[in-house]
Amino acid sequence: MKRYSDIVGDGGSRILEQVAEQRARIADGLAGVRHLVAVGSGKGGVGKSTLTLHLASALRARGLRIAILDADFNGPSQARMAGVQGAVFVPGSHKVALPRTANGIGVFSMGSVIPESEALDFESAAHGESHTWRATREFALLGEILGSFEWGELDLLMFDLPPGAERTVQYADFLGPFDDAQGRPFDVALGGPRVSFLLVTIPSEVARGVVARSVAALSKGPNRLLGYVENMSGYYCRDCNAIKPLFDSSGGADLAIPCLGTVPFDPELARRCDRGISLADLPETPVGRALDHVAQQLLNSLESPLEPPR
Amino acid sequence: MKFLCVPCDSPMKLQTVGPPDGGSLSVVYSCPECGYEMAMLTNPYETQLVQSLGVRIGPAEASAKAGKCPFGAMLPAVEEPVQTGDPMPVRWTAAAEARLANIPSFVRPMAKTGIEKFARERGSAEVDEEILDAAREFFGM
Protein backbone atom coordinates (compact mmCIF):
# COMPACT_ATOMS: atom_id res chain seq x y z
CA MET A 1 0.00 0.00 0.00
CA LYS A 2 1.26 3.49 -0.85
CA ARG A 3 2.53 5.70 1.93
CA TYR A 4 1.98 9.46 2.30
CA SER A 5 5.30 10.31 0.68
CA ASP A 6 4.57 8.04 -2.30
CA ILE A 7 1.63 10.22 -3.38
CA VAL A 8 2.42 13.35 -5.34
CA GLY A 9 0.11 16.30 -4.62
CA ASP A 10 -2.70 16.37 -2.10
CA GLY A 11 -5.60 15.14 -4.22
CA GLY A 12 -6.90 18.66 -4.89
CA SER A 13 -7.31 20.24 -1.44
CA ARG A 14 -4.45 22.69 -2.28
CA ILE A 15 -3.79 23.41 1.40
CA LEU A 16 -0.02 22.92 1.24
CA GLU A 17 0.11 24.76 -2.07
CA GLN A 18 -1.67 27.77 -0.59
CA VAL A 19 0.58 27.80 2.47
CA ALA A 20 3.59 27.78 0.12
CA GLU A 21 2.04 30.66 -1.85
CA GLN A 22 1.64 32.63 1.38
CA ARG A 23 5.31 32.10 2.23
CA ALA A 24 6.30 33.20 -1.27
CA ARG A 25 4.25 36.40 -0.92
CA ILE A 26 5.97 37.16 2.39
CA ALA A 27 9.42 36.55 0.89
CA ASP A 28 8.52 38.77 -2.05
CA GLY A 29 7.23 41.51 0.27
CA LEU A 30 10.41 41.46 2.33
CA ALA A 31 12.83 41.18 -0.58
CA GLY A 32 13.97 44.78 -0.14
CA VAL A 33 14.46 44.59 3.63
CA ARG A 34 18.06 44.39 4.79
CA HIS A 35 17.53 43.45 8.44
CA LEU A 36 14.59 42.09 10.39
CA VAL A 37 14.90 42.93 14.07
CA ALA A 38 12.39 41.49 16.51
CA VAL A 39 12.16 43.38 19.79
CA GLY A 40 10.87 40.99 22.42
CA SER A 41 11.24 40.08 26.03
CA GLY A 42 9.02 37.35 27.32
CA LYS A 43 8.03 39.69 30.15
CA GLY A 44 5.21 42.18 29.70
CA GLY A 45 5.40 45.82 30.76
CA VAL A 46 9.15 46.27 30.32
CA GLY A 47 8.79 48.91 27.62
CA LYS A 48 9.29 46.90 24.42
CA SER A 49 6.98 49.09 22.36
CA THR A 50 8.33 52.38 23.66
CA LEU A 51 11.90 51.25 23.15
CA THR A 52 11.10 49.98 19.64
CA LEU A 53 9.67 53.35 18.61
CA HIS A 54 12.50 55.35 20.16
CA LEU A 55 15.20 53.16 18.66
CA ALA A 56 13.45 53.45 15.31
CA SER A 57 13.50 57.24 15.69
CA ALA A 58 17.18 57.26 16.65
CA LEU A 59 18.01 55.09 13.64
CA ARG A 60 15.83 57.22 11.38
CA ALA A 61 17.69 60.31 12.58
CA ARG A 62 20.85 58.64 11.24
CA GLY A 63 19.24 58.53 7.81
CA LEU A 64 18.25 54.85 7.83
CA ARG A 65 15.04 53.63 6.21
CA ILE A 66 12.98 52.12 9.02
CA ALA A 67 9.56 50.54 9.47
CA ILE A 68 7.82 49.05 12.48
CA LEU A 69 5.35 46.18 12.45
CA ASP A 70 3.39 46.15 15.68
CA ALA A 71 3.02 42.38 16.05
CA ASP A 72 1.05 42.69 19.27
CA PHE A 73 -2.29 42.38 17.50
CA ASN A 74 -4.28 42.03 20.71
CA GLY A 75 -2.67 44.93 22.54
CA PRO A 76 -1.35 47.25 19.83
CA SER A 77 0.30 50.44 21.04
CA GLN A 78 2.43 51.69 18.16
CA ALA A 79 -0.45 53.42 16.37
CA ARG A 80 -1.10 55.73 19.31
CA MET A 81 2.55 56.30 20.21
CA ALA A 82 3.65 56.92 16.63
CA GLY A 83 0.67 59.17 15.92
CA VAL A 84 -0.84 56.99 13.15
CA GLN A 85 -4.10 56.01 14.86
CA GLY A 86 -6.18 57.76 12.21
CA ALA A 87 -3.94 56.76 9.32
CA VAL A 88 -5.50 56.52 5.86
CA PHE A 89 -4.77 53.26 4.08
CA VAL A 90 -4.06 54.09 0.43
CA PRO A 91 -4.27 51.28 -2.14
CA GLY A 92 -1.13 51.14 -4.26
CA SER A 93 -0.89 49.38 -7.61
CA HIS A 94 -0.68 45.93 -6.01
CA LYS A 95 -0.35 46.42 -2.27
CA VAL A 96 -1.29 48.87 0.46
CA ALA A 97 0.91 51.91 1.10
CA LEU A 98 2.39 51.90 4.59
CA PRO A 99 1.27 54.70 6.95
CA ARG A 100 4.19 56.89 8.01
CA THR A 101 5.10 59.01 10.99
CA ALA A 102 6.04 62.66 10.58
CA ASN A 103 9.72 61.68 10.54
CA GLY A 104 9.19 59.02 7.86
CA ILE A 105 9.02 55.76 9.81
CA GLY A 106 6.58 53.31 8.23
CA VAL A 107 4.23 51.83 10.83
CA PHE A 108 1.66 49.07 10.66
CA SER A 109 -0.32 48.63 13.85
CA MET A 110 -3.72 47.07 14.44
CA GLY A 111 -4.32 50.21 16.49
CA SER A 112 -4.76 51.99 13.14
CA VAL A 113 -7.44 49.47 12.14
CA ILE A 114 -9.41 48.71 15.29
CA PRO A 115 -10.54 51.39 17.77
CA GLU A 116 -9.23 51.07 21.32
CA SER A 117 -12.77 50.39 22.55
CA GLU A 118 -12.87 47.15 20.52
CA ALA A 119 -10.91 43.89 20.61
CA LEU A 120 -9.52 41.92 17.69
CA ASP A 121 -11.97 39.13 17.02
CA PHE A 122 -12.32 36.39 14.42
CA GLU A 123 -15.33 34.49 13.21
CA SER A 124 -15.02 30.88 14.33
CA ALA A 125 -16.67 27.56 13.62
CA ALA A 126 -15.31 26.20 16.92
CA HIS A 127 -17.10 28.37 19.45
CA GLY A 128 -15.50 28.64 22.87
CA GLU A 129 -12.36 26.79 21.77
CA SER A 130 -10.14 29.65 20.67
CA HIS A 131 -7.16 28.20 22.53
CA THR A 132 -7.00 25.50 19.83
CA TRP A 133 -6.72 27.82 16.80
CA ARG A 134 -6.20 31.46 17.79
CA ALA A 135 -2.39 31.52 17.50
CA THR A 136 -2.53 29.89 14.06
CA ARG A 137 -5.03 32.51 12.95
CA GLU A 138 -2.92 35.38 14.24
CA PHE A 139 0.18 34.11 12.45
CA ALA A 140 -1.81 33.78 9.25
CA LEU A 141 -2.83 37.41 9.76
CA LEU A 142 0.82 38.38 10.27
CA GLY A 143 1.63 36.64 6.99
CA GLU A 144 -1.15 38.54 5.23
CA ILE A 145 0.17 41.84 6.55
CA LEU A 146 3.75 41.03 5.52
CA GLY A 147 2.57 40.01 2.08
CA SER A 148 0.13 42.82 1.35
CA PHE A 149 1.79 46.04 2.54
CA GLU A 150 4.49 47.96 0.67
CA TRP A 151 7.56 47.45 2.85
CA GLY A 152 9.81 48.56 -0.01
CA GLU A 153 13.52 49.16 0.44
CA LEU A 154 14.32 49.21 4.15
CA ASP A 155 17.47 49.10 6.22
CA LEU A 156 15.52 47.71 9.18
CA LEU A 157 12.07 46.31 9.72
CA MET A 158 11.46 46.20 13.46
CA PHE A 159 8.89 43.83 14.93
CA ASP A 160 7.35 44.92 18.20
CA LEU A 161 6.56 41.50 19.67
CA PRO A 162 3.80 40.67 22.15
CA PRO A 163 4.79 39.50 25.64
CA GLY A 164 5.29 35.82 26.43
CA ALA A 165 8.41 33.68 26.13
CA GLU A 166 6.50 31.07 24.08
CA ARG A 167 5.19 33.76 21.73
CA THR A 168 8.74 35.04 21.21
CA VAL A 169 9.82 31.59 20.08
CA GLN A 170 6.74 31.23 17.84
CA TYR A 171 7.73 34.47 16.10
CA ALA A 172 11.29 33.18 15.72
CA ASP A 173 9.94 30.07 14.03
CA PHE A 174 7.59 32.04 11.80
CA LEU A 175 10.12 34.68 10.77
CA GLY A 176 13.08 32.35 10.55
CA PRO A 177 14.77 31.26 7.33
CA PHE A 178 12.36 30.04 4.68
CA ASP A 179 12.26 29.74 0.91
CA ASP A 180 11.72 32.72 -1.38
CA ALA A 181 9.34 32.92 -4.37
CA GLN A 182 11.78 30.88 -6.48
CA GLY A 183 12.09 28.21 -3.82
CA ARG A 184 15.60 29.28 -2.80
CA PRO A 185 16.49 29.37 0.90
CA PHE A 186 15.79 32.94 1.95
CA ASP A 187 18.52 33.33 4.52
CA VAL A 188 21.89 34.85 5.14
CA ALA A 189 23.56 32.72 2.47
CA LEU A 190 21.68 34.74 -0.13
CA GLY A 191 22.20 38.04 1.62
CA GLY A 192 18.48 38.17 2.33
CA PRO A 193 16.99 39.32 5.60
CA ARG A 194 17.19 37.06 8.58
CA VAL A 195 15.52 37.86 11.83
CA SER A 196 17.67 39.02 14.73
CA PHE A 197 16.39 39.39 18.28
CA LEU A 198 16.81 42.26 20.67
CA LEU A 199 15.48 41.47 24.13
CA VAL A 200 14.29 44.01 26.66
CA THR A 201 14.41 43.69 30.42
CA ILE A 202 14.23 45.93 33.45
CA PRO A 203 16.49 45.82 36.52
CA SER A 204 14.25 43.51 38.51
CA GLU A 205 15.12 39.93 39.35
CA VAL A 206 11.69 38.73 38.26
CA ALA A 207 11.95 40.37 34.83
CA ARG A 208 15.50 39.15 34.27
CA GLY A 209 14.43 35.65 35.21
CA VAL A 210 11.68 35.65 32.58
CA VAL A 211 13.97 37.16 29.94
CA ALA A 212 16.58 34.50 30.77
CA ARG A 213 13.94 31.89 29.88
CA SER A 214 13.37 33.62 26.53
CA VAL A 215 17.11 33.58 25.88
CA ALA A 216 17.21 29.87 26.69
CA ALA A 217 14.22 29.14 24.44
CA LEU A 218 15.54 31.20 21.51
CA SER A 219 19.00 29.65 21.85
CA LYS A 220 17.55 26.23 21.01
CA GLY A 221 16.89 27.34 17.43
CA PRO A 222 18.95 28.99 14.67
CA ASN A 223 18.20 32.46 16.02
CA ARG A 224 20.49 35.42 16.16
CA LEU A 225 20.37 37.13 19.56
CA LEU A 226 21.95 40.56 19.24
CA GLY A 227 21.73 41.28 22.94
CA TYR A 228 19.50 42.91 25.49
CA VAL A 229 18.64 46.39 26.65
CA GLU A 230 18.04 47.19 30.28
CA ASN A 231 15.12 49.58 30.20
CA MET A 232 13.89 51.68 33.16
CA SER A 233 17.44 51.65 34.46
CA GLY A 234 16.79 54.41 36.96
CA TYR A 235 14.59 57.39 36.15
CA TYR A 236 15.52 60.74 34.72
CA CYS A 237 14.52 63.62 36.99
CA ARG A 238 14.24 66.68 34.78
CA ASP A 239 14.22 68.99 37.79
CA CYS A 240 17.58 67.70 39.05
CA ASN A 241 18.85 66.74 35.58
CA ALA A 242 20.03 63.49 37.17
CA ILE A 243 19.36 59.75 36.96
CA LYS A 244 17.93 58.35 40.18
CA PRO A 245 17.47 54.69 41.15
CA LEU A 246 14.16 53.02 40.35
CA PHE A 247 14.84 49.36 41.17
CA ASP A 248 17.32 47.51 43.32
CA SER A 249 19.54 46.25 40.51
CA SER A 250 21.89 44.21 42.66
CA GLY A 251 20.91 40.76 41.39
CA GLY A 252 19.13 38.71 38.79
CA ALA A 253 19.83 36.00 36.28
CA ASP A 254 22.82 36.16 33.96
CA LEU A 255 21.32 36.62 30.51
CA ALA A 256 24.43 35.28 28.74
CA ILE A 257 24.02 37.71 25.82
CA PRO A 258 25.59 41.16 25.36
CA CYS A 259 24.05 44.18 27.03
CA LEU A 260 23.60 46.83 24.30
CA GLY A 261 22.89 49.57 26.80
CA THR A 262 20.76 50.88 29.62
CA VAL A 263 17.93 53.38 29.22
CA PRO A 264 16.49 55.39 32.12
CA PHE A 265 12.77 55.96 32.52
CA ASP A 266 11.62 59.46 31.63
CA PRO A 267 8.10 60.47 32.73
CA GLU A 268 8.05 63.18 30.06
CA LEU A 269 8.74 60.54 27.43
CA ALA A 270 5.82 58.46 28.69
CA ARG A 271 3.55 61.50 28.53
CA ARG A 272 4.51 62.19 24.94
CA CYS A 273 4.07 58.55 23.94
CA ASP A 274 0.53 58.56 25.29
CA ARG A 275 -0.26 61.56 23.11
CA GLY A 276 1.69 60.44 20.04
CA ILE A 277 3.67 63.66 19.97
CA SER A 278 7.16 64.27 18.67
CA LEU A 279 10.26 63.34 20.63
CA ALA A 280 12.34 65.86 18.71
CA ASP A 281 14.23 67.28 21.70
CA LEU A 282 15.18 63.86 23.06
CA PRO A 283 18.79 63.83 21.85
CA GLU A 284 19.53 66.65 24.29
CA THR A 285 18.58 64.56 27.32
CA PRO A 286 20.38 61.68 29.08
CA VAL A 287 17.59 59.39 27.87
CA GLY A 288 18.10 60.52 24.28
CA ARG A 289 21.84 59.92 24.56
CA ALA A 290 21.24 56.47 26.04
CA LEU A 291 18.87 55.57 23.20
CA ASP A 292 21.36 56.84 20.65
CA HIS A 293 24.04 54.66 22.21
CA VAL A 294 21.78 51.59 22.04
CA ALA A 295 20.93 52.41 18.41
CA GLN A 296 24.64 52.49 17.56
CA GLN A 297 25.28 49.24 19.42
CA LEU A 298 22.37 47.66 17.57
CA LEU A 299 23.82 48.71 14.23
CA ASN A 300 27.27 47.44 15.22
CA SER A 301 25.76 44.08 16.19
CA LEU A 302 23.84 43.82 12.93
CA GLU A 303 26.94 44.58 10.88
CA SER A 304 29.15 42.15 12.78
CA PRO A 305 29.86 38.78 11.10
CA LEU A 306 27.18 36.18 11.67
CA GLU A 307 27.99 33.06 13.56
CA PRO A 308 27.08 29.96 11.59
CA PRO A 309 23.66 28.58 12.61
CA ARG A 310 23.89 25.85 15.19
CA MET B 1 -4.24 15.02 4.34
CA LYS B 2 -4.35 12.56 1.46
CA PHE B 3 -6.82 9.76 0.81
CA LEU B 4 -5.92 6.41 -0.68
CA CYS B 5 -8.32 3.93 -2.25
CA VAL B 6 -7.00 0.77 -0.62
CA PRO B 7 -8.32 -1.81 -3.14
CA CYS B 8 -6.84 0.17 -6.08
CA ASP B 9 -3.84 1.55 -4.14
CA SER B 10 -4.63 4.82 -5.95
CA PRO B 11 -4.75 8.38 -4.52
CA MET B 12 -8.28 9.73 -4.41
CA LYS B 13 -9.10 13.09 -6.02
CA LEU B 14 -11.13 15.92 -4.56
CA GLN B 15 -14.47 16.33 -6.34
CA THR B 16 -16.57 18.86 -4.44
CA VAL B 17 -16.43 20.96 -1.28
CA GLY B 18 -19.76 21.72 0.34
CA PRO B 19 -20.25 25.08 2.08
CA PRO B 20 -19.76 25.10 5.86
CA ASP B 21 -22.83 23.81 7.65
CA GLY B 22 -22.90 24.00 11.43
CA GLY B 23 -19.11 24.30 11.44
CA SER B 24 -18.66 21.25 9.22
CA LEU B 25 -17.32 21.01 5.67
CA SER B 26 -18.33 18.19 3.31
CA VAL B 27 -15.44 17.27 1.05
CA VAL B 28 -16.13 14.55 -1.51
CA TYR B 29 -13.25 12.49 -2.92
CA SER B 30 -13.38 9.80 -5.58
CA CYS B 31 -11.02 7.13 -6.79
CA PRO B 32 -9.99 7.73 -10.43
CA GLU B 33 -9.57 3.97 -10.93
CA CYS B 34 -12.77 2.42 -9.58
CA GLY B 35 -14.94 5.54 -9.15
CA TYR B 36 -15.60 4.83 -5.48
CA GLU B 37 -16.68 7.98 -3.69
CA MET B 38 -16.31 8.97 -0.05
CA ALA B 39 -17.02 12.16 1.88
CA MET B 40 -14.87 13.69 4.57
CA LEU B 41 -17.09 15.52 7.06
CA THR B 42 -15.02 17.77 9.27
CA ASN B 43 -15.85 18.64 12.84
CA PRO B 44 -15.80 22.34 13.85
CA TYR B 45 -12.23 22.11 15.22
CA GLU B 46 -10.92 20.70 11.95
CA THR B 47 -12.83 23.31 9.95
CA GLN B 48 -11.46 26.07 12.14
CA LEU B 49 -7.90 24.79 11.90
CA VAL B 50 -8.00 24.99 8.10
CA GLN B 51 -9.61 28.45 8.20
CA SER B 52 -6.98 29.61 10.67
CA LEU B 53 -4.23 28.82 8.17
CA GLY B 54 -5.81 31.39 5.86
CA VAL B 55 -6.51 28.85 3.13
CA ARG B 56 -9.58 27.39 1.48
CA ILE B 57 -9.97 23.73 0.56
CA GLY B 58 -10.38 23.10 -3.15
CA PRO B 59 -9.46 24.38 -6.60
CA ALA B 60 -8.04 27.86 -7.09
CA GLU B 61 -11.11 29.02 -9.05
CA ALA B 62 -13.36 28.25 -6.11
CA SER B 63 -11.07 30.21 -3.78
CA ALA B 64 -11.07 33.18 -6.15
CA LYS B 65 -14.85 33.10 -6.33
CA ALA B 66 -15.08 33.03 -2.55
CA GLY B 67 -12.81 36.10 -2.24
CA LYS B 68 -9.03 36.19 -1.91
CA CYS B 69 -8.68 37.37 1.62
CA PRO B 70 -9.33 34.86 4.38
CA PHE B 71 -9.69 37.62 6.95
CA GLY B 72 -13.07 38.91 5.89
CA ALA B 73 -14.37 37.53 9.15
CA MET B 74 -12.43 40.03 11.29
CA LEU B 75 -15.42 41.51 12.94
CA PRO B 76 -14.56 45.02 14.11
CA ALA B 77 -12.44 45.89 11.11
CA VAL B 78 -15.03 45.31 8.42
CA GLU B 79 -17.69 47.53 9.89
CA GLU B 80 -18.27 50.60 7.75
CA PRO B 81 -17.81 53.79 9.76
CA VAL B 82 -21.11 55.49 10.51
CA GLN B 83 -21.63 58.42 8.15
CA THR B 84 -23.06 61.54 9.67
CA GLY B 85 -24.72 64.24 7.62
CA ASP B 86 -25.08 63.79 3.89
CA PRO B 87 -21.61 63.75 2.33
CA MET B 88 -21.16 64.34 -1.36
CA PRO B 89 -21.37 60.96 -3.12
CA VAL B 90 -18.07 59.81 -4.58
CA ARG B 91 -17.79 57.30 -7.39
CA TRP B 92 -14.75 55.14 -8.09
CA THR B 93 -13.30 54.59 -11.54
CA ALA B 94 -12.78 50.98 -12.57
CA ALA B 95 -9.00 51.31 -12.27
CA ALA B 96 -9.19 52.81 -8.77
CA GLU B 97 -11.70 50.17 -7.71
CA ALA B 98 -9.36 47.45 -8.98
CA ARG B 99 -6.62 48.84 -6.75
CA LEU B 100 -9.00 48.88 -3.80
CA ALA B 101 -10.03 45.29 -4.47
CA ASN B 102 -6.38 44.28 -4.40
CA ILE B 103 -5.85 45.08 -0.73
CA PRO B 104 -6.78 42.92 2.26
CA SER B 105 -10.45 43.09 3.12
CA PHE B 106 -9.75 43.97 6.76
CA VAL B 107 -8.38 47.41 5.77
CA ARG B 108 -10.57 47.95 2.69
CA PRO B 109 -13.51 49.75 4.37
CA MET B 110 -11.13 52.14 6.15
CA ALA B 111 -9.20 52.74 2.95
CA LYS B 112 -12.42 53.47 1.04
CA THR B 113 -13.74 55.89 3.64
CA GLY B 114 -10.41 57.69 4.02
CA ILE B 115 -9.84 58.10 0.30
CA GLU B 116 -13.38 59.33 -0.33
CA LYS B 117 -12.95 61.93 2.42
CA PHE B 118 -9.63 62.96 0.83
CA ALA B 119 -11.35 63.33 -2.57
CA ARG B 120 -14.26 65.34 -1.14
CA GLU B 121 -11.90 67.72 0.64
CA ARG B 122 -10.39 68.43 -2.78
CA GLY B 123 -13.82 68.99 -4.33
CA SER B 124 -13.64 65.81 -6.38
CA ALA B 125 -16.68 63.58 -6.84
CA GLU B 126 -14.56 60.81 -8.30
CA VAL B 127 -11.73 58.63 -7.01
CA ASP B 128 -9.37 57.77 -9.82
CA GLU B 129 -5.75 56.67 -9.83
CA GLU B 130 -4.66 60.29 -9.84
CA ILE B 131 -6.47 60.88 -6.54
CA LEU B 132 -4.92 57.71 -5.08
CA ASP B 133 -1.45 58.87 -6.08
CA ALA B 134 -2.16 62.35 -4.71
CA ALA B 135 -3.22 60.77 -1.40
CA ARG B 136 0.01 58.81 -1.26
CA GLU B 137 2.01 61.95 -1.76
CA PHE B 138 -0.10 63.96 0.69
CA PHE B 139 0.30 61.38 3.45
CA GLY B 140 4.03 61.03 2.74
CA MET B 141 3.83 57.35 1.74
Side-chain angles (χ1 to χ4, degrees), chain A residues 94-97 143-151, chain B residues 102-104 106:
Chain A
H94 297 291
K95 298 185 177 188
V96 195
E144 179 77 0
I145 291 163
L146 288 170
S148 57
F149 277 81
E150 293 176 354
W151 301 102
Chain B
N102 225 5
I103 70 175
F106 73 89

Side-chain angles (χ1 to χ4, degrees), chain A residues 231-248:
Chain A
N231 199 22
M232 303 184 203
S233 187
Y235 79 92
Y236 171 50
C237 174
R238 285 182 178 248
D239 293 337
C240 322
N241 193 26
I243 308 293
K244 297 186 173 179
L246 196 56
F247 294 90
D248 172 14

Side-chain angles (χ1 to χ4, degrees), chain B residues 66-89:
Chain B
K68 279 195 297 187
C69 178
F71 304 106
M74 280 183 55
L75 300 179
V78 296
E79 288 173 4
E80 291 275 3
V82 178
Q83 297 284 356
T84 53
D86 189 18
M88 179 173 72

Side-chain angles (χ1 to χ4, degrees), chain B residues 83-103:
Chain B
Q83 297 284 356
T84 53
D86 189 18
M88 179 173 72
V90 174
R91 65 184 175 279
W92 286 64
T93 64
E97 208 150 48
R99 273 164 69 162
L100 183 68
N102 225 5
I103 70 175

Side-chain angles (χ1 to χ4, degrees), chain B:
Chain B
M1 198 178 291
K2 301 173 183 182
F3 293 93
L4 185 73
C5 178
V6 176
C8 304
D9 197 25
S10 178
M12 299 182 88
K13 300 288 182 198
L14 185 144
Q15 297 302 312
T16 58
V17 181
D21 176 24
S24 176
L25 288 172
S26 308
V27 188
V28 176
Y29 284 81
S30 72
C31 173
E33 303 291 332
C34 68
Y36 183 78
E37 288 192 329
M38 56 159 277
M40 176 178 72
L41 310 176
T42 63
N43 66 39
Y45 308 107
E46 291 157 347
T47 306
Q48 185 59 40
L49 183 64
V50 172
Q51 285 180 348
S52 298
L53 287 169
V55 300
R56 293 177 189 278
I57 295 177
E61 314 83 69
S63 298
K65 205 182 288 178
K68 279 195 297 187
C69 178
F71 304 106
M74 280 183 55
L75 300 179
V78 296
E79 288 173 4
E80 291 275 3
V82 178
Q83 297 284 356
T84 53
D86 189 18
M88 179 173 72
V90 174
R91 65 184 175 279
W92 286 64
T93 64
E97 208 150 48
R99 273 164 69 162
L100 183 68
N102 225 5
I103 70 175
S105 63
F106 73 89
V107 292
R108 204 174 298 146
M110 288 187 67
K112 188 169 187 289
T113 307
I115 295 296
E116 288 180 359
K117 182 167 178 279
F118 178 82
R120 277 190 209 100
E121 285 168 358
R122 275 144 194 81
S124 175
E126 184 176 82
V127 174
D128 55 13
E129 290 191 282
E130 205 172 301
I131 284 282
L132 293 179
D133 292 338
R136 282 184 72 118
E137 197 172 325
F138 180 80
F139 294 114
M141 292 167 167

Side-chain angles (χ1 to χ4, degrees), chain A residues 89-280:
Chain A
F89 290 97
V90 182
S93 52
H94 297 291
K95 298 185 177 188
V96 195
L98 198 60
R100 291 194 181 276
T101 62
N103 60 349
I105 299 170
V107 178
F108 176 84
S109 172
M110 282 310 245
S112 299
V113 181
I114 301 175
E116 285 179 346
S117 57
E118 295 180 31
L120 174 64
D121 202 1
F122 300 97
E123 192 177 87
S124 167
H127 301 291
E129 301 289 342
S130 64
H131 61 282
T132 62
W133 55 265
R134 176 94 188 194
T136 308
R137 188 78 162 180
E138 288 177 13
F139 278 97
L141 176 57
L142 175 64
E144 179 77 0
I145 291 163
L146 288 170
S148 57
F149 277 81
E150 293 176 354
W151 301 102
E153 298 289 322
L154 290 175
D155 294 300
L156 263 88
L157 172 55
M158 303 179 77
F159 290 85
D160 179 13
L161 300 188
E166 86 295 348
R167 268 302 164 94
T168 307
V169 173
Q170 287 171 352
Y171 276 88
D173 290 343
F174 186 88
L175 298 169
F178 55 84
D179 295 350
D180 71 2
Q182 282 76 47
R184 299 171 303 186
F186 194 67
D187 60 13
V188 69
L190 286 172
R194 177 189 172 195
V195 67
S196 303
F197 282 82
L198 175 66
L199 299 180
V200 184
T201 187
I202 58 174
S204 98
E205 290 188 31
V206 170
R208 284 182 75 96
V210 174
V211 175
R213 289 186 199 280
S214 294
V215 172
L218 287 168
S219 299
K220 287 180 183 169
N223 302 304
R224 189 179 185 200
L225 276 73
L226 299 173
Y228 74 93
V229 176
E230 187 177 90
N231 199 22
M232 303 184 203
S233 187
Y235 79 92
Y236 171 50
C237 174
R238 285 182 178 248
D239 293 337
C240 322
N241 193 26
I243 308 293
K244 297 186 173 179
L246 196 56
F247 294 90
D248 172 14
S249 55
S250 58
D254 176 14
L255 298 182
I257 55 173
C259 177
L260 302 191
T262 60
V263 180
F265 178 77
D266 181 354
E268 173 61 13
L269 200 63
R271 192 186 70 80
R272 290 183 185 209
C273 283
D274 275 349
R275 288 162 180 75
I277 53 178
S278 168
L279 310 165

